[in-house]
Amino acid sequence: MSNDSLNKEIEAALDGVDLQAFGRSPEEDSGSGKEGRSGRGSDDLMPGTVSGVSGDDVIVDLGPRMQGVCALAEFDEAPAVGDTHRFLLRGREEDLWLLSMRGAKELEAWAQLEVGSHTKARVAGQNQGGLTLKIGTHEAFMPMSQISVDRDVDASTLLGQTLVCEVMEIDRSRNRVVLSRRRIEERDRLEAIAETVGGLQPGAKVKGKVKRIEAFGAFVDIGGVEGLVHVSQISRQRIEKVDEVLKVGQDVDVMILELKEGGKKISLGMKQLEPDPWDEVPHRLSIDSQITGKVTRLMDFGAFVEVIPGIEGLLHISQISTERVVNLQRVLTVGEELTVRVTAIDPSAQRISLSRLDARGAVIGSEDSVESSTIKDALEKSTGSIGTNLGDLFKKALGDK
C-alpha cells in the first residue's frame, strides 16, 4: 500500500475519533482532579532512592526534606534500601509525594517512541476503520489494513490482547500514534523464510500442507514458506485437474526440486517420491508384444497411449491404419482403449514406440490381422515341405473355395 493510500485510510478511519479522549476517566474529561496522564512530560519524572519498605508501601527519598511513597506492587521485585529509580509524580498527600514507577516507565517508553520503533500495545477497542489500542496510558490506532498479513483475520478476536507493533506515525502534539502489527508479521515471516530456506537443499524430502490449489498446480507450506508443485510434478500419471488429486489442508510429502531468488521461489515435486514405473517396463513389455492402453493425448503427429500406469508410448500417425490418416480426431478419441504393438523401447530416453499394425502390416483386431495370424500359426505348425504344402496352407488359411 502506498503512503498516500495509507494516509487516506488513516484519516478516514480516525474521522470523528478523539484519541485524546479515548480511555480517559470522566474526571479527566471534565478537567477536575489531577492532570491527565496524556499531558505528562519528562518534568514530572523524579529520581529517588529507596529508604525503606513499610507494609505495601515503599518509602523513597527524593531530596533534602522531600519524601515520597510508591506502591510495592509496582516493583518487579522487592526493592532494597539504597536502590535508585525514576518515579512519576502523581500528586501529594500531606507531606508525602505520591509516586508511580510504572507510570515513569510508561512515560519514558512514550518519550522513546519514534517511527520504526517497536512497542507493546493492548487492544482496547474496535471501530469500522481498525483497532484502538493503549501504549501504557497513551492511546494509539491501527488501521484495518495493518492488523495482519492474513486478510481473513477476525479483528474482534484481538480485543484485550497485548500486541507487539511497529510505530508508523507519531504526532505528540495531537497525542496521535499509528501502529502496524502487519509489519511485525512480515518481518517475522521473512526471518522464518530465511531460516527455513537456509536448511533446504535440492533433493531433500520434506513434509508440507496444501495451502492453495490453482489450475497449474498446488502451493504447499513447508514450514513457514510456500513452494509450488506444478501439475506436471504431482504424479507420474497424467493429471488433468489438480483438485481431483489434492485438497486444501491435505498433508503431503514433497521433494525440493529447485530454489530460486534466495528461496522466494521454490519448486516442489511429488512424483519423484513415487516408485518409478519404468522399473516395471522390462517385466511387462517386450518388442512385438501387444497390450491394451488408453489414449491420453492427441497430437498432429500421433497419439500418446498409456500402456502402464504412468508410462506413455507414442503411436505415430503412420502406424494407426493401413490407410493414410489425415485427421487424427476422426480416428481416435482421448480416453479410448485400444490394443497396440510395442515396436521399440528406449529406457535411457524413456521412450516407447507403438503401432496399431501387426507384424504383417494389418490393423490389430481386423479381419486381415486374424487371417495373418492364422497363416503364421499354420506355417509354424507345418512339418512338411513348404514347397509342396504352401499352396494348400494358403488356401486353408484364406478359406479358398
Side-chain angles (χ1 to χ4, degrees):
M1 178 178 289
S2 66
N3 289 334
D4 289 342
S5 299
L6 183 58
N7 289 334
K8 289 180 181 179
E9 180 189 358
I10 293 172
E11 294 298 336
L14 288 176
D15 185 29
V17 178
D18 182 5
L19 282 181
Q20 296 190 42
F22 171 71
R24 290 208 303 258
S25 66
E27 292 79 6
E28 291 173 322
D29 281 334
S30 65
S32 62
K34 303 178 181 64
E35 181 185 1
R37 291 186 185 180
S38 59
R40 300 283 186 183
S42 58
D43 292 341
D44 295 299
L45 296 181
M46 177 74 74
T49 302
V50 175
S51 60
V53 178
S54 176
D56 293 332
D57 296 325
V58 177
I59 310 302
V60 179
D61 287 334
L62 300 173
R65 294 183 300 279
M66 186 177 179
Q67 279 192 326
V69 60
C70 180
L72 178 62
E74 292 199 19
F75 290 79
D76 295 331
E77 56 185 29
V81 174
D83 287 351
T84 300
H85 302 281
R86 286 169 65 86
F87 299 90
L88 175 66
L89 302 180
R90 300 179 59 187
R92 293 187 64 171
E93 283 188 3
E94 299 179 353
D95 294 332
L96 286 176
W97 283 93
L98 302 180
L99 308 177
S100 172
M101 194 165 74
R102 288 178 181 170
K105 291 181 178 179
E106 290 175 357
L107 196 58
E108 288 179 330
W110 171 256
Q112 293 170 1
L113 282 183
E114 58 183 19
V115 174
S117 64
H118 294 178
T119 185
K120 290 183 178 180
R122 181 176 59 83
V123 181
Q126 179 183 2
N127 57 42
Q128 186 175 359
L131 297 175
T132 51
L133 304 94
K134 301 199 75 173
I135 306 172
T137 58
H138 294 276
E139 290 71 45
F141 177 72
M142 184 181 295
M144 192 66 70
S145 67
Q146 297 301 312
I147 293 176
S148 176
V149 293
D150 182 3
R151 296 181 180 179
D152 298 326
V153 67
D154 183 355
S156 65
T157 62
L158 300 176
L159 292 174
Q161 293 190 30
T162 298
L163 310 177
V164 177
C165 311
E166 180 175 313
V167 178
M168 298 179 61
E169 180 184 324
I170 183 168
D171 186 343
R172 289 186 172 84
S173 65
R174 300 167 62 188
N175 197 35
R176 170 168 155 169
V177 182
V178 179
L179 303 175
S180 172
R181 176 174 175 248
R182 175 177 177 172
R183 292 187 178 182
I184 298 293
E185 290 183 339
E186 287 174 342
R187 285 186 174 85
D188 290 344
R189 179 170 292 186
L190 289 176
E191 291 177 1
I193 289 175
E195 182 177 353
T196 300
V197 170
L200 298 179
Q201 295 293 333
K205 175 184 174 182
V206 296
K207 293 186 177 297
K209 185 182 293 290
V210 178
K211 301 295 288 186
R212 288 180 291 141
I213 291 178
E214 304 289 349
F216 53 83
F219 288 92
V220 177
D221 186 311
I222 54 173
V225 297
E226 288 186 6
L228 172 64
V229 184
H230 191 267
V231 62
S232 63
Q233 302 297 328
I234 294 177
S235 175
R236 295 187 183 275
Q237 299 187 47
R238 186 169 179 81
I239 302 297
E240 296 294 340
K241 295 183 178 180
V242 181
D243 57 5
E244 292 181 351
V245 181
L246 298 175
K247 303 297 179 185
V248 173
Q250 179 179 344
D251 293 323
V252 293
D253 291 328
V254 294
M255 176 180 286
I256 308 296
L257 301 183
E258 190 175 15
L259 300 170
K260 298 180 181 178
E261 300 179 18
K264 293 182 179 179
K265 293 184 178 180
I266 304 175
S267 298
L268 306 173
M270 294 175 61
K271 71 179 185 181
Q272 291 76 9
L273 303 178
E274 297 177 353
D276 190 346
W278 275 92
D279 294 339
E280 295 294 315
V281 170
H283 307 291
R284 299 179 60 173
L285 300 179
S286 60
I287 303 300
D288 279 337
S289 64
Q290 293 185 7
I291 190 168
T292 299
K294 181 179 294 185
V295 177
T296 57
R297 288 177 289 163
L298 297 178
M299 312 296 288
D300 291 339
F301 52 83
F304 286 93
V305 180
E306 187 177 53
V307 291
I308 295 176
I311 297 291
E312 292 179 334
L314 174 61
L315 177 60
H316 193 269
I317 193 169
S318 64
Q319 297 296 310
I320 293 176
S321 175
T322 54
E323 300 179 356
R324 185 169 180 267
V325 176
V326 177
N327 190 337
L328 197 59
Q329 282 75 11
R330 292 184 177 180
V331 181
L332 298 175
T333 58
V334 173
E336 177 183 355
E337 291 189 350
L338 69 162
T339 301
V340 292
R341 180 172 61 91
V342 178
T343 60
I345 301 175
D346 186 349
S348 61
Q350 294 192 344
R351 292 178 182 173
I352 297 176
S353 298
L354 305 172
S355 175
R356 204 180 179 191
L357 307 177
D358 65 16
R360 292 178 176 271
V363 177
I364 296 173
S366 68
E367 184 178 346
D368 291 340
S369 177
V370 173
E371 292 174 347
S372 296
S373 63
T374 303
I375 293 173
K376 181 180 179 181
D377 290 342
L379 288 173
E380 290 177 348
K381 293 177 181 178
S382 174
T383 55
S385 170
I386 292 180
T388 57
N389 295 329
L390 187 58
D392 292 338
L393 290 171
F394 269 93
K395 287 180 180 181
K396 180 179 180 181
L398 298 176
D400 186 3
K401 298 180 180 180

